[in-house]
Amino acid sequence: MSSSVPRNFPHSEPRSLLAGVLAVLVHLLFIALLVFGVSWKDHPPEGMMVDIWTELPKPVQEPVKTQAPPKQPKPVPEPVKPEPEPPKPEPVKPEPPKPEPPKPEPPKPEPAKPEPQKAAVAAPVKKPDIAMKQKPEPVKENKPDLEEQKKKEQEKIKEQEKQKELEKKKELEKKKGLEKQKELEKQKELEKQQEIAKQKEAEKQKALEKQKELQKQKEKELAAQRQREQEAKAQREAEAQRAAQQAAARNQITGEIGKYKALILAKIRSRIVMPPDLPGNPVAEFSVTLLPGGDILDVRLSKSSGHAAFDSAVERAIFLSKPLPLPPDPALFNEFRNLNITVHYRE
Amino acid sequence: MSTTVTQDMSFLHLITSASVLVQLVMLILILISLSSWWFIFRKLFVIRYEIKKTDDFEDIFWRGVDLNALHQRIISSRYESGSLERIFAAGFGEFTKHPAGSDLDAVMESTRRAMRATYQREMDYLESHLSFLATVGSVSPYIGLFGTVWGIMNSFRSLSSVTQATIAHVAPGIAEALIATAMGLFAAIPAVVAYNRYASRTDQLATRFESFMEELSNVLQRRAAE
């Protein structure tokens, strides 16, 4: 009995925990696929988001250093080594295409400064050389002291002579000044007289010019008046022509309308079965409402002839004669929309 | 699978902006999908293990080992034993309980009954949770569809207040509603595939078990007759 297998002993299920982990993994994979798949589709619009990349340029200083060299060659072709490096920044940047412009701006000053500094350093070094050459010259002059003393004495004498000459010149100048003042006064008086004369002449000329201008204005006004008169005449003629044309058109239209009205009446008359032996010449008037195309919408007896047989005969004839003949021009249809038809018993 | 109409329509945005009921449907579907995948992997491991165990046991059995020793070995490691080993242990245990000289037919009958009972239990164990996979496969698309219909209903209802109806008014709602259908399909398709595969595997195992039971009966009967 002890050897018998218990009826219900559970199976030790293999790797059930691993199964749970795998299930979660499958879902994570699926979600990742979805999220990345959808965001992959969104990438083009996300490229518009420049804000994300404005913060990054600082860490990307390496390309800045390497990018600067290609722009240096313009002023000085000294930095030849960095030139092969520029390709490196290009692979780093393809992700942010727009922020590129801001990046190069900061580097410009950096490389620019060293160049002027180098140039400045080189220049002062050369300048002293020139200064050194200049200095020795005065040193040579200092050696002959005696000559200098003699020169100084001579210079002093010369200066004294110059002062004397200057004093003489001043006296002469004073005399000349007095003479000049007298001459100037005379000249001023002459100039005043001349100016007065010139003013008078100018006034005369101005008066003449004014007269001429007035004459010109009068001529212009006359010419303008003539032109206006001519234009008015032309307008009148054009209006007359238009009126004539319009009248002609109206005549044509009225003629056409009359013609088609006559056609309509003739068609109706042809369909009337006249009741025999009516006394006198009775007249029946109908108002007919037409549709475009000649169909009859409505027929009303507006004035009876006094004979019911004749009235009904005419009405039947009107209905029989549809479609009524209408002019081909649709603009004329308004004239036929409401027709008054008058039918005489005897023509 | 979800249509991206505007640039702010990321997948997460679609889910978070869905209506409460649609979100509930999505949650249910996620739970169903998780548990279904869990069972898929569990059954995968279990059925593989059973097939391997069955192969091994048949190999050992038909090599002609001592049945008593085999029985003892199986009972000593009963928790790691496979289904076929258990069936053998049940049958052989029942066969050895009868004293020698009792009615052979009765002995064989009780042995067969014991084996059949164990076989039923083992088949029940092997087929457990397969019905769950079948249910997931058939029901989860409908749950997803329900969420989608509800979401589309809402998005169309919101159209009624708009005078100028454009596709842009409806598209986000439909997109987020369609996610529910997608989730339902995601849960259903693997469940159906796994169910069909595992059902055929368990059927194969069942026929192997049954044929082994018949063969074991013959072996035991011969042994009792000797």
Side-chain angles (χ1 to χ4, degrees):
Chain A
M1 293 291 276
S2 63
S3 67
S4 72
V5 180
R7 289 289 130 77
N8 274 320
F9 60 90
H11 279 268
S12 69
E13 199 178 297
R15 295 180 283 183
S16 64
L17 193 70
L18 178 67
V21 172
L22 279 173
V24 172
L25 264 178
V26 166
H27 283 81
L28 287 179
L29 195 75
F30 181 63
I31 289 168
L33 265 176
L34 276 184
V35 169
F36 281 110
V38 173
S39 66
W40 172 72
K41 283 175 190 167
D42 283 345
H43 260 307
E46 274 177 2
M48 306 293 284
M49 307 278 281
V50 190
D51 299 348
I52 302 165
W53 297 98
T54 52
E55 298 168 5
L56 283 178
K58 286 173 187 174
V60 197
Q61 279 178 346
E62 292 175 3
V64 166
K65 284 173 188 173
T66 48
Q67 230 195 9
K71 283 164 188 174
Q72 281 178 345
K74 289 173 187 174
V76 182
E78 285 178 359
V80 186
K81 290 172 185 175
E83 278 181 354
E85 287 176 2
K88 284 178 186 174
E90 287 171 11
V92 181
K93 289 188 176 175
E95 294 169 11
K98 287 172 183 177
E100 275 184 41
K103 281 175 189 171
E105 287 172 9
K108 276 176 185 173
E110 288 177 20
K113 280 170 188 173
E115 289 157 18
Q117 279 176 356
K118 285 171 188 173
V121 171
V125 171
K126 285 169 188 173
K127 275 173 188 171
D129 293 341
I130 299 160
M132 286 296 283
K133 285 170 189 171
Q134 283 176 346
K135 278 172 187 174
E137 287 170 8
V139 170
K140 285 171 188 172
E141 286 172 4
N142 285 333
K143 284 173 183 176
D145 291 337
L146 291 170
E147 289 176 5
E148 269 195 6
Q149 283 178 353
K150 284 176 185 173
K151 280 179 184 174
K152 281 176 185 174
E153 286 170 5
Q154 285 175 353
E155 282 171 5
K156 282 175 187 173
I157 294 161
K158 282 175 185 172
E159 281 173 7
Q160 285 175 356
E161 287 172 0
K162 280 176 187 172
Q163 281 178 354
K164 284 174 188 173
E165 284 173 6
L166 281 167
E167 285 171 5
K168 285 177 185 173
K169 282 178 184 174
K170 280 173 187 172
E171 287 173 4
L172 284 166
E173 281 172 3
K174 280 176 188 173
K175 286 175 187 174
K176 284 176 184 173
L178 286 166
E179 287 170 3
K180 280 176 184 172
Q181 279 181 351
K182 286 173 186 172
E183 286 174 3
L184 280 167
E185 284 170 5
K186 285 175 187 173
Q187 281 180 352
K188 279 173 187 173
E189 284 174 5
L190 284 167
E191 282 171 4
K192 280 176 187 173
Q193 287 175 354
Q194 285 175 352
E195 281 174 8
I196 291 161
K198 281 176 185 172
Q199 282 178 355
K200 283 175 185 173
E201 286 176 3
E203 283 170 6
K204 283 176 188 171
Q205 282 181 350
K206 280 176 187 172
L208 284 166
E209 284 171 2
K210 279 177 187 173
Q211 283 180 351
K212 284 176 185 172
E213 284 174 5
L214 283 167
Q215 283 178 350
K216 282 177 185 172
Q217 281 182 352
K218 283 174 187 172
E219 286 171 4
K220 282 178 185 172
E221 283 169 6
L222 284 167
Q225 278 183 352
R226 280 174 205 157
Q227 277 186 351
R228 280 173 209 156
E229 285 167 6
Q230 284 177 352
E231 285 170 4
K233 279 179 188 171
Q235 279 183 352
R236 277 173 216 152
E237 285 168 7
E239 281 170 9
Q241 279 183 352
R242 275 178 217 153
Q245 284 176 354
Q246 283 176 354
R250 274 177 215 151
N251 286 334
Q252 278 186 354
I253 289 163
T254 49
E256 195 127 320
I257 289 165
K259 175 184 150 198
Y260 276 95
K261 278 184 176 167
L263 277 172
I264 288 167
L265 199 60
K267 192 169 185 183
I268 290 167
R269 279 200 79 86
S270 69
R271 304 288 159 95
I272 296 174
V273 182
M274 287 290 183
D277 301 335
L278 287 181
N281 191 4
V283 175
E285 285 183 18
F286 286 87
S287 69
V288 180
T289 310
L290 287 184
L291 288 172
D295 275 345
I296 292 157
L297 184 69
D298 188 27
V299 176
R300 272 183 295 112
L301 182 65
S302 51
K303 191 183 171 189
S304 175
S305 61
H307 299 277
F310 181 58
D311 292 345
S312 60
V314 172
E315 193 174 349
R316 259 181 274 126
I318 291 169
F319 276 115
L320 278 172
S321 59
K322 77 176 176 183
L324 294 174
L326 286 179
D329 186 5
L332 294 177
F333 174 72
N334 278 333
E335 301 288 331
F336 293 87
R337 194 180 293 279
N338 290 307
L339 267 181
N340 281 314
I341 292 170
T342 311
V343 182
H344 296 261
Y345 181 61
R346 294 172 215 274
E347 283 183 51
Chain B
M1 41 115 244
S2 65
T3 55
T4 56
V5 179
T6 56
Q7 53 191 8
D8 64 331
M9 283 186 73
S10 69
F11 187 69
L12 286 176
H13 178 79
L14 280 178
I15 289 175
T16 51
S17 66
S19 66
V20 176
L21 193 112
V22 175
Q23 278 179 339
L24 197 71
V25 165
M26 286 175 185
L27 185 72
I28 289 170
L29 283 172
I30 284 173
L31 291 178
I32 284 176
S33 177
L34 268 172
S35 52
S36 116
W37 273 96
W38 186 40
F39 285 129
I40 286 169
F41 282 115
R42 271 174 69 182
K43 297 312 285 182
L44 176 71
F45 295 143
V46 165
I47 288 171
R48 260 200 209 158
Y49 182 75
E50 285 302 331
I51 289 170
K52 186 175 169 292
K53 276 279 175 188
T54 307
D55 287 346
D56 290 351
F57 180 75
E58 280 185 334
D59 196 35
I60 290 167
F61 183 83
W62 294 115
R63 219 177 275 166
V65 288
D66 180 23
L67 294 184
N68 274 315
L70 190 64
H71 183 233
Q72 281 304 318
R73 197 167 59 82
I74 290 164
I75 286 172
S76 63
S77 64
R78 59 179 64 150
Y79 289 101
E80 282 75 35
S81 56
S83 298
L84 193 57
E85 287 167 312
R86 289 174 188 225
I87 289 166
F88 165 78
F92 192 77
E94 183 64 28
F95 179 77
T96 50
K97 266 182 228 163
H98 290 278
S102 55
D103 184 20
L104 184 63
D105 284 345
V107 171
M108 286 320 297
E109 191 60 33
S110 67
T111 305
R112 206 169 267 150
R113 271 201 298 270
M115 285 198 292
R116 188 144 289 277
T118 313
Y119 164 78
Q120 298 286 1
R121 260 199 300 276
E122 291 306 312
M123 285 316 294
D124 185 48
Y125 164 68
L126 282 179
E127 284 172 351
S128 65
H129 307 308
L130 280 187
S131 65
F132 176 79
L133 289 181
T135 308
V136 168
S138 58
V139 165
S140 66
Y142 295 122
I143 298 175
L145 195 65
F146 170 67
T148 298
V149 167
W150 190 267
I152 290 177
M153 251 164 62
N154 276 341
S155 70
F156 274 119
R157 229 175 47 188
S158 69
L159 260 190
S160 63
S161 60
V162 184
T163 53
Q164 193 90 37
T166 61
I167 193 75
H169 287 114
V170 207
I174 291 175
E176 71 195 26
L178 283 174
I179 289 177
T181 301
M183 288 172 120
L185 291 177
F186 173 71
I189 292 166
V192 170
V193 170
Y195 172 76
N196 286 333
R197 188 172 174 77
Y198 297 160
S200 74
R201 287 283 175 84
T202 47
D203 278 351
Q204 283 173 2
L205 278 176
T207 51
R208 279 174 82 174
F209 293 166
E210 276 176 342
S211 50
F212 176 79
M213 274 154 61
E214 300 300 320
E215 283 158 354
L216 182 64
S217 307
N218 283 341
V219 168
L220 289 177
Q221 197 164 6
R222 253 183 275 127
R223 190 178 151 132
E226 280 168 6

